């Protein structure tokens, strides 16, 4: 079993800095984050060819996200 390194960002801008600095294998994004929301961060990730196929999972604490 492999080891995992988890990096946590406090907002969208910080998440982008961490992604660019660490080149992760997977990104978990909250839909609602301080500053940029998850969709804005995803758009920025996809603008970089290096991360064009980086797996991104969205999560949210919103209880009525699909109502």
């Amino acid at each position: 079993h492999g080891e995992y390194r988890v990096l946590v960002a406090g907002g969208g801008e910080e998440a982008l800095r961490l992604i660019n600095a660490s080149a992760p294998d997977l990104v978990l994004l909250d839909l609602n984050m301080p500053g940029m929301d998850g969709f804005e961060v995803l758009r920025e990730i996809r603008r970089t060819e290096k991360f064009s196929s980086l797996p991104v999972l969205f999560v949210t604490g919103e209880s009525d996200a699909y109502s």
Side-chain angles (χ1 to χ4, degrees):
H1 304 301
E3 292 184 27
Y4 299 95
R5 190 172 112 199
V6 177
L7 302 175
V8 178
E13 292 86 2
E14 183 182 3
L16 290 171
R17 283 193 300 276
L18 287 173
I19 290 165
N20 284 310
S22 65
D25 295 320
L26 172 72
V27 174
L28 275 147
L29 288 176
D30 193 334
L31 292 174
N32 300 310
M33 296 186 294
M36 302 170 74
D37 69 20
F39 293 114
E40 291 173 302
V41 174
L42 178 61
R43 279 192 290 277
E44 289 299 317
I45 291 170
R46 293 294 182 242
R47 285 184 191 190
T48 305
E49 186 174 334
K50 167 174 149 175
F51 300 123
S52 64
S53 62
L54 176 65
V56 175
L57 298 174
F58 278 99
V59 296
T60 186
E62 297 291 325
S63 60
D64 61 344
Y66 296 102
S67 57

